[in-house]
Amino acid sequence: MGRAPCCDKANVKRGPWSPEEDAKLKDYIEKQGTGGNWIALPHKAGLRRCGKSCRLRWLNYLRPNIRHGDFSEEEDNIICSLFASIGSRWSVIAAHLHGRTDNDIKNYWNTKLKKKLIATMAPPPPHQLVAIASSSLSPSSSHYNMTNNLPPYNPTISTNQLISPHLSPHQEMMMTMMDQQQQQLLYKEAMDSLVNSPNSNKLIMSHQEDSHAQSTNKGIMLLSDVRSGSSTTSTVTRVKMEQHDHHHEERSMQDYGMEEINHLISSSCTSSSSNSLWFDENKTEDTFMLYY
DNA sequence: AACTCCAGCAACCGCGTTGTC
DNA sequence: GGACAACGCGGTTGCTGGAGT
């Protein structure tokens, strides 16, 4: 059974508000208040409008001290930082910006600020992370599975969980702007690039045990730079994994040849009939990064 | 001048949450 | 505590006006 409509749609006016309607609504609310009942308000105010529509019009346009347009640099920064930390909770973000409505901020973000951020993304330095993957693999488990059996992207993990201290604020912003499909796609590209890299002698692998993430879910993949898409990820030449206990261990490709990695990958394939044996529930959460 | 495309924005829709009986 | 009504929020839609051809 569907939800009952909030009003009789056949008898309410829809579409843009006329100045007369605005005046009626404004006048009524200024004199009588909303009465705590938006559904009854349009009838009392003599408007043939849905209560929801009246509420929206009042909150987004008619109420006092509303500001429109011309977001300042400071407001941009607030929006960006809040978006990076709490996501698209526009009402919460709006609460931090005096006179701005959630709808305004949402529109501003979708039409301008997001593009502005992408445009101002500085080219990453050569050592910058291309991708970060987190899995519950142990590096000794020989379960890296990166050829034809890519580990599944795990959408159950929130973006916020994915954002790690390894990322710059800009990279965090980029991640929050990517949907899961984009993340999955870039992740696959990065993995393909890694496995298929002809310049295999540049591949370095070490290990990091991420104790902070041990209690979290597993099998997530995070790509931190989407600026150049596949062309960027195709230049992946190194994998670096760092020990969480500060015992950094970096092994050159002499230690981890491409064949060895492929062997590690393929060995995981044989240990399960599934093409997604990416996780080992008994292992600790690890993080590895792809550098270029 | 006519047409198409597209960015920007106002408004709508549907769902989760909260309040009331 | 369950049912229902209303609110509030975020995602989406569609209208409008300006730019480009």
Side-chain angles (χ1 to χ4, degrees):
Chain A
M1 189 177 74
R3 165 181 294 240
C6 65
C7 56
D8 181 4
K9 295 195 187 307
N11 290 317
V12 297
K13 184 173 180 288
R14 296 170 66 186
W17 281 65
S18 68
E20 292 75 25
E21 289 176 310
D22 280 347
K24 269 188 183 177
L25 180 61
K26 196 162 186 282
D27 188 54
Y28 180 84
I29 291 177
E30 281 173 354
K31 286 177 182 166
Q32 313 290 331
T34 65
N37 189 343
W38 284 105
I39 302 298
L41 189 144
H43 178 69
K44 292 177 182 172
L47 290 161
R48 284 183 57 239
R49 286 278 181 176
C50 171
K52 272 186 164 188
S53 180
C54 292
R55 175 184 163 273
L56 209 61
R57 186 65 180 171
W58 172 255
L59 292 177
N60 288 341
Y61 200 80
L62 297 175
R63 76 185 152 108
N65 304 320
I66 289 287
R67 288 186 297 140
H68 291 287
D70 295 335
F71 280 75
S72 68
E73 196 73 29
E74 188 187 352
E75 286 176 312
D76 284 1
N77 291 335
I78 292 170
I79 294 168
C80 287
S81 84
L82 285 171
F83 189 94
S85 60
I86 64 172
S88 59
R89 295 172 66 188
W90 305 117
S91 60
V92 176
I93 295 172
H96 287 79
L97 299 171
H98 182 68
R100 300 293 189 186
T101 69
D102 54 354
N103 207 37
D104 243 9
I105 295 168
K106 178 172 60 181
N107 284 332
Y108 179 59
W109 171 263
N110 285 331
T111 59
K112 291 178 185 172
L113 194 51
K114 190 157 69 175
K115 291 169 191 169
K116 186 176 162 185
L117 270 167
I118 292 168
T120 56
M121 279 287 288
H127 64 277
Q128 195 165 3
L129 293 175
V130 169
I132 297 172
S134 177
S135 79
S136 52
L137 289 169
S138 158
S140 58
S141 67
S142 302
H143 282 175
Y144 290 100
N145 178 356
M146 299 187 287
T147 51
N148 294 323
N149 297 307
L150 285 165
Y153 175 75
N154 187 339
T156 63
I157 303 215
S158 75
T159 302
N160 282 349
Q161 279 178 276
L162 294 173
I163 293 170
S164 79
H166 304 297
L167 300 179
S168 72
H170 266 143
Q171 288 172 322
E172 290 185 10
M173 286 305 305
M174 292 305 296
M175 277 309 302
T176 62
M177 286 187 278
M178 293 167 68
D179 61 26
Q180 287 165 359
Q181 231 176 349
Q182 288 174 303
Q183 291 174 11
Q184 171 86 54
L185 180 66
L186 284 166
Y187 153 59
K188 185 179 185 308
E189 286 172 351
M191 284 307 197
D192 287 344
S193 300
L194 174 64
V195 172
N196 299 323
S197 170
N199 210 3
S200 61
N201 63 350
K202 287 184 182 173
L203 190 71
I204 298 169
M205 180 174 268
S206 61
H207 161 242
Q208 174 180 25
E209 176 176 302
D210 188 355
S211 63
H212 177 70
Q214 281 186 13
S215 61
T216 66
N217 212 330
K218 63 282 173 186
I220 55 177
M221 180 69 191
L222 168 59
L223 297 174
S224 63
D225 178 41
V226 298
R227 182 183 48 83
S228 50
S230 60
S231 64
T232 297
T233 56
S234 70
T235 62
V236 167
T237 53
R238 299 198 305 155
V239 172
K240 180 180 181 180
M241 302 169 75
E242 301 167 344
Q243 290 282 9
H244 186 70
D245 61 4
H246 308 302
H247 171 240
H248 284 240
E249 180 185 358
E250 216 171 73
R251 298 173 59 186
S252 71
M253 199 54 203
Q254 279 82 348
D255 300 315
Y256 280 95
M258 188 53 82
E259 277 189 18
E260 184 180 353
I261 290 172
N262 277 324
H263 173 72
L264 296 177
I265 293 164
S266 59
S267 68
S268 73
C269 303
T270 58
S271 62
S272 167
S273 58
S274 163
N275 69 351
S276 60
L277 182 63
W278 180 243
F279 315 119
D280 181 339
E281 300 281 350
N282 300 319
K283 301 292 194 305
T284 59
E285 183 96 1
D286 300 329
T287 298
F288 66 84
M289 307 164 204
L290 308 179
Y291 285 70
Y292 71 99

